[in-house]
Amino acid sequence: MRWRRYGEHAALLDCDSLTQMSAAHATIVAARPDGVAELVPGARTLLVVADPGSSALDDVRALLEDADLTRPPSAAPREITIEVRYDGEDLALIAETAGLSEKDVVDLHTGAEYTVAFTGFAPGFGYLTGLPEPLRQPRLESPRTRVPAGAVGVAGEFTGVYPTPSPGGWRLLGHTDTTLFDPHAERPALLTPGDRVRFRSV
């Protein structure tokens, strides 16, 4: 892990892997060091923002130097179930690429437990890890100009749900009516890093 200053009151951690980033993020969240204003996880990075004048960055660095970052610390994460209609435009393509039937694809996707590794791309969009190997497929060669809100897709090692209409190149499995982002809600984003997610076919 490489530690880089990021302005006056922040540090950017360049991690060796998504697992190391997730472990570092979970370690800091569990310890709750005084003065940590914000944590912004990414696929291989973690931004730590500190309150001006605090010792938070030094405290976090010392915390991580003594931590086991090969896996996240045990905790009691939130568990979220998202109901999905598996009628996506790319379901047949995903099944063909995986060498499976469409039913097998649905069974694999609903049978796994996922973890929100980080959020990004759009408000409320969570990158979920835990995707079964046969469903880890490349993005579309030509991205769509508009993907509807609630579309459930896969790309690489991730699965996720588009919270709002947007362009996108993920392969689409289906659709959910679950609201992923509501700017007027007390908690605007349904998903936050560390949450556990399951999909249920309806």
Side-chain angles (χ1 to χ4, degrees):
M1 178 185 292
R2 182 184 176 196
W3 182 279
R4 293 189 290 165
R5 296 294 298 208
Y6 201 80
E8 292 185 53
H9 309 297
L12 185 68
L13 282 63
D14 287 324
C15 301
D16 297 333
S17 65
L18 178 59
T19 298
Q20 188 182 65
M21 184 285 299
S22 298
H25 179 266
T27 298
I28 299 169
V29 170
R32 298 182 181 179
D34 290 337
V36 174
E38 188 176 9
L39 296 173
V40 184
R44 299 291 186 275
T45 60
L46 178 62
L47 180 66
V48 183
V49 182
D51 291 330
S54 75
S55 62
L57 295 182
D58 291 335
D59 295 342
V60 167
R61 188 165 191 169
L63 173 68
L64 296 181
E65 286 176 351
D66 293 334
D68 177 7
L69 299 182
T70 59
R71 60 180 183 178
S74 58
R78 288 195 315 147
E79 296 185 357
I80 298 166
T81 298
I82 297 176
E83 295 185 341
V84 179
R85 294 188 300 278
Y86 284 89
D87 56 359
E89 296 175 52
D90 303 313
L91 181 59
L93 172 63
I94 294 167
E96 180 182 359
T97 303
L100 301 170
S101 69
E102 293 183 12
K103 180 182 183 302
D104 288 339
V105 168
V106 174
D107 289 345
L108 273 178
H109 195 253
T110 56
E113 182 179 66
Y114 304 93
T115 301
V116 182
F118 59 98
T119 57
F121 169 65
F125 190 98
Y127 289 78
L128 312 184
T129 59
L131 187 67
E133 189 66 38
L135 304 184
R136 299 182 181 187
Q137 301 186 9
R139 289 167 171 78
L140 297 173
E141 292 184 6
S142 178
R144 294 181 171 91
T145 57
R146 188 181 187 279
V147 177
V152 180
V154 295
E157 63 186 301
F158 302 109
T159 187
V161 183
Y162 286 81
T164 54
S166 67
W170 288 32
R171 297 186 179 194
L172 303 182
L173 284 163
H175 185 272
T176 181
D177 292 328
T178 300
T179 299
L180 274 292
F181 183 74
D182 179 358
H184 305 295
E186 182 177 347
R187 186 188 183 114
L190 174 66
L191 304 178
T192 57
D195 290 345
R196 298 288 170 80
V197 179
R198 284 189 176 277
F199 294 99
R200 183 169 63 202
S201 178
V202 294

